[in-house]
Amino acid sequence: MLIIGNQKDYLPRFEDVMSVANTVAKLRTKHEVVLAPSHVHLSLLRSKKKALPLAAQDVSVFEHGAHTGEISATTLRDSGVSYVIIGHSERRSQGEDSHVIATKLSQVLRANLSAVLCIGESSRDAHGGYLSLLREQITSALSGVSEKEFRSIVIAYEPVWAIGKSSDEAIDREQLEETMLYIRKIIKEELGEKAYKSIRILYGGSVAPENIEGLLLEDLDGFLVGRGSTSPSTFKELIQAV
Ligand code: PGA
């Protein structure tokens, strides 16, 4: 399984990022555990922990060049990053639309990195209207992706209503099972068999040691963990429970 720790801007002190990284490095696990600290901590972490896979939390829409304050996909690659999170709801709420997200995704693929595309509804309605939103989020970002690039795509299903809550407010197993089936169906219908077989799907939203076992589904490829990845002991417990 793929477990990505999205540390957001929770850990301003590098020593706290290092504590989590040291704990992860000592774990014997068959899972791929990836850390996504803030941009400024990425290359520092790379210099201290050569073998730990890293993800960036965002990327520029531009190629490198005269873009003050931006960080391009090629710069991220040079910092030792393998994955880039795109379209997180906390970025969408800052105004990132589907065009921006599709552009970022193509920058990531062009730099030969893997993209973690976040999708998810803000709320659920009784008639299942949120399902069309998921379809739209998937197709608008991925319809331009070529067949050979599908293996570099990971979709993180993160219902916005379940992010940053307590463990008992996360999605329940039945809801996750249903939504996973639906997401796989959209991928098959809209992007074809190759995409269906290659694209990995993660769940994110208040994943904690207390609820992770209940969320382990056969066709789920892993988790995107926010707050739970900011404490060494919690992250360790969580990984060991998978
Ligand atoms: P959370 O965040 O685990 O703190 O809910 C998940 C995310 O936003 O990626």
Side-chain angles (χ1 to χ4, degrees), residues 57-73:
Q57 299 175 15
D58 189 26
V59 66
S60 174
V61 287
F62 302 112
E63 280 182 52
H64 63 94
H67 307 291
T68 303
E70 295 287 339
I71 300 176
S72 67

Side-chain angles (χ1 to χ4, degrees), residues 39-53:
H39 277 335
V40 287
H41 289 152
L42 280 170
S43 31
L44 255 177
L45 188 53
R46 167 55 65 246
S47 65
K48 308 259 184 212
K49 288 264 170 280
K50 304 251 180 315
L52 183 71

Side-chain angles (χ1 to χ4, degrees), residues 11 22 38 45 47 56 66 71 85 101 109 115 142 155 178 205 213 215 230 242:
L11 303 177
N22 283 329
S38 71
L45 188 53
S47 65
I71 300 176
I85 298 170
I101 290 165
L109 296 178
L142 299 182
I155 291 180
E178 261 172 36
E213 279 175 59
L215 300 172
T230 59
V242 176

Side-chain angles (χ1 to χ4, degrees), residues 6 8 10 88-90 158 162-165 204-207 224-228:
N6 172 16
K8 309 190 182 187
Y10 276 123
H88 191 281
S89 57
E90 287 152 17
E158 298 207 305
I163 292 178
K165 300 282 169 54
S206 303
V207 176
L224 181 55
V225 183
R227 208 175 37 206

